[in-house]
Every structure is written in C-alpha cells, then in structure tokens.
Amino acid sequence: MNGTMMEYPLTLDHLLDRAQKLFGGVEIVSRLPDKSLHRHAYNDFHRRARALAGALIAAGLGPGDRVATLMWNHYAHLEVYFGAPLAGGVFHTLNPRLHPSDIAYIMNHARDRFLIIDDTLLPLFDRIREHVKVERVIVVALTGKPLPDGCEDYEEFLRSAPDGASLPALGENQAAGMCYTSATTGRPKGVVYSHRALVLHSFVCAMADTLGISGRDSVCPVVPMFHANAWGVPFTCTMVGAKQVLPGPHLDPVSLLDLFESEGVTVTAGVPTIWLGILQALEREPSRWKLVPGMRLAVGGAAAPEAMIRGYDRFGLQVVHAWGMTETTPVGSVSVLKRGMESLPPDERYAYRAKQGIAPPFVDMRVVAEGKEMPWDGASLGELQVRGPWVTASYYELPEASGQFTQDGWFCTGDVACIDAEGYMKIVDRTKDLIKSGGEWISSVDLENALMGHPAVAEAAVIAVPHPKWGERPLAAVVPKEQAKGTFTPGELRDFIAPKFPAWWLPDAVIVVDEIPRTAAGKFLKRALREKFQDWKWEEGGQKSE
C-alpha cells in the first residue's frame, strides 16, 4: 500500500518563489570592492534571478549545461545560484585562489559553456583564457571599468531576457550545482549537487539543533560562495527569508566586524583562521564594536580550538562547531549540547563543544578500522564514513576515484575519528596528517588545539618529520600573536601542553614562523610544511642538529 501524498518535486524554484511571496521586502546587502554597500530585497533578487534564467536560455543554454562563476560573495553570485538552475542548467563555482592551471583543468573537465565573472578577477581569467573553451564571458562590472573585447556586461545580459519567457519544469534529481574539491593531493574532483540535495540540506540547516537559521536572522556567510556553496547558507537563508549580508572580497577582521555591527548580524560562518583573527581584534579593542549578543559563529573546515570557543564566550558570542566536506553539501555534523548537558561542569561542556558534533537527521556515520566498524566509546579510532541524501555517491566523470566509496554505499572521508557513547564525533586527524611514532599514533589536531590555547599563540600546525629511530616525530610551527612576539620560548610551549599528553606525544621541536601556508579553502597546508622540513636533522634526544 502506498501513501496518498502528492508528488511534489524538491526544487530550488520553490525556495526562490517563497522568498518573493513572503519576504519580498527583506534586504540582501553586498559589500562591493570599494567597500560601498549594495542593497536590494528579495523582490529584486527574484526578478533578476528569473531574468538571468531567461537570458541564459535565450543565449542557448541547454539542459545540464554548466555556468561557471569566478566571483566573490555578493548579490550577482546569489542570482547565479538560482538563475542557472532555474534555466535547467548547473551553476559551477570556481575558486579564484587555486592555481590558474587547476582552474583551467576544472573548467575543461566540467565542460563549462558560460562564465560569469567579477571584473576584478578578469586579470586571473586572462591567464587561462587561451586554455579554456567557454563560449560566453559575462562580466559583473563592480568597479565601473571598461570591459575588454569579447566580454558582455552582466546587466545588459539580464536585460536581454525575453519578456514573459517560460522556464522549464525541473526534476528534483536534476543537477543544480557543481563544485570541485580543493585537492590538497591529486587533481580536483567534481561533486554535482541535485536540487533535492540542496533543498533537504537547507531544511536541516534551519533546524534549531544545527545552524538554526530563521527568518528573524541577519546572516553573513564569510565562507566564500565558491567553497562548498558557502556551506549551503545562501539557500537556507532564501528558504526562510533571512536577511543576507554578503561581504564581497573584504575578509579582514576589521572589515568583517564593521559589517557585523552595521548590519546587525546574528549568524555567520567561516573557517577557524578567520575567527582566530577576529578574536585577536576583539581582544585588542574590546569596546570598539557593538555586536548582537549571542551572535552565532559557525566554524568548520578545520577543528575549532577549545581556547577559541572559550575566548568568544567571554565576549558573549557563541561558536557552533561543525564538520563537513564538499562531498557532503557540506554539513555532516554540528556540535550542539543535548538536553541536560548545560548542567555539566564547564570543562566537560567545552570538551563536547570542541568535538565536531552529532550527525543531523538522515546522515549516518560510522568509524571503520581494518574493515571492522568501531564501537562508539570515544576512544576507538578509524576512518570516518558517512552516507545520506546530500552525500555524493560518486565523483563527476572520475571512475578511478571509486575507491572512496564502499561496496555497501558509504563515502570514505579520509578523516580519522572516534564517536562517543552520546554520538558526538571527534576528528582526530586526516589520514595523511597522523603522526606514527614508534608504532603508535599521535594526533596533530589535538596538539595544535592545545598549543593554540597558549595566550601568546595565534596559530599552530603540527607535522610529522622523519626520524631515524622512531619513524616519525612531531614538529610544531607556531605563529605568535602580534603583541606576544619574543615573549615565550619553545620550551615554555612544550611545558604548557605537557600536562595534557603523554611525554612521547610532545613535539620534539617548536619553530616560530611568520605564517602557516594555507590551502585555497583557507585550511593549513601541511604538505608545504612537510616539504619544507623534510630534511630536518635530529640530535639524540630530539632537537635539531645544526
């Protein structure tokens, strides 16, 4: 016996139409390259996104054709998020921080037909123009500079849309968006998001026990819209009618704090390196900004140090720790305290909040080691595997990557993790970042978070360095806070973290550096550190031999 419910497709056009009908006057605010603010509302956004869809169809876009973007977070990028799928096409976000050769590879592998690009990023496109095959280049003229030959103006392109153009019926399993992994190893891999996946993901991100985004919020995704769909935040905001505050290219702490204050931001999202910088700015000038009390900062992309969570609590701001990947659309878990946990001792509450959290509805998790599922005891380690309706089942036209998917339908994340009896998952490390010393494993993530708990340390990255006796030993690279340079010794940092770890876990060397290399997604690029220190020489006892 089947149910009697209607077949109603889960497609993005319903989110857009709902926003216009119910929240037409709610603002969408974008910071432009000159730091001026562009303001319009969901009524305008709805009209312009549909015009973009009509113009793309009139320009020859066919079902499933890719519309690439090289853009920062602003109103026009949001219009492509909806306009391309409404036309039956697929938006494809490109990361301008990648090497030009990687961008060219991605565009050709995805077979992008259209490119919509900020005029500020045209110099980057000039470096790859001869190596890609896009048919139309449409430029969002944010600076007012003349357009180069062969480019079309975005506003004129919108005006070319036929009046009253009908848009195609959409299926929920139809492709809507596309994003490639940042590829710290090997070539970037493509993930294709269906309408259904994006809609279901939006519902879950609106839950109180995840990101809790509602129509009463003012939301600023600091995470770029070219990185895993800005964690799905723009879709959720559109679904619930939240005010959207898009920061453009200005992601320095002062610019962001000014924007949070002026626009009354209540929810924001970004990687830990962003929030570490903002916390330092708040500590330097604690009375400069008047932020909304209880503002929620979703943190993902790397582990959020417990010291950072505590630091924001002192300012009345709440860190919400989450985990996900490009392959998971991306939210795969969120760390919120269960009922009754608020009464736990403070140290226990912070320990839970520093974990990556519990899976939302419809996402299943397991930890597997040597082909066996590990118990949820908070100690047994293995590779984290996930499955769910917004977890990819394959990579786009990359059959050689099938090894990342199990025969029984789980995605192998490459993260080493454990899950405790309450269901809270903790990432211990990436498989390639674990340190094996004397046959035992050391978590670089745990060491990094402990080092960043020192009041003089801004950032820390721990890597494995070859050792003639132990196989590998940990080496720590730390960036001191500006006001703390020269105020500590490596030995003091080892002593600071020593009570938390066995003696053999402690880094055998601590190096002070000006900065830690980052990936295009803003994560620490440990591969670069490993290459830099691969010839490190150890004396007996551990320290470097000059």
Side-chain angles (χ1 to χ4, degrees), residues 196-197 200 327 361-364 386-393 409-411:
R196 178 175 183 266
L200 289 174
E327 292 89 340
F362 298 105
V363 172
D364 297 326
V386 296
R387 66 182 180 186
W390 53 85
V391 178
T392 195
W410 294 70
F411 169 63

Side-chain angles (χ1 to χ4, degrees), residues 192-276:
V192 181
Y193 306 104
S194 65
H195 283 261
R196 178 175 183 266
L198 294 175
V199 170
L200 289 174
H201 185 270
S202 298
F203 274 111
V204 162
C205 290
M207 289 178 58
D209 286 337
T210 59
L211 302 186
I213 296 172
S214 81
R216 293 170 293 282
D217 281 311
S218 174
V219 185
C220 180
V222 177
V223 58
M225 293 175 73
F226 53 72
H227 181 56
N229 306 328
W231 298 352
V233 168
F235 295 111
T236 305
C237 288
T238 301
M239 182 181 76
V240 301
K243 177 180 176 180
Q244 300 195 45
V245 181
L246 305 174
H250 303 290
L251 304 182
D252 60 282
V254 171
S255 294
L256 288 171
L257 285 164
D258 286 346
L259 192 63
F260 295 164
E261 181 181 42
S262 67
E263 300 305 318
V265 169
T266 59
V267 180
T268 179
V271 297
T273 50
I274 290 286
W275 305 127
L276 288 167

Side-chain angles (χ1 to χ4, degrees), residues 465-468 475 508-509 533-540 542-546:
V465 173
H467 191 281
L475 178 148
D508 282 348
F533 296 112
Q534 62 184 344
D535 296 325
W536 190 262
K537 305 297 182 186
W538 300 99
E539 290 180 346
E540 189 170 351
Q543 296 301 314
K544 184 184 178 184
S545 173
E546 298 293 346

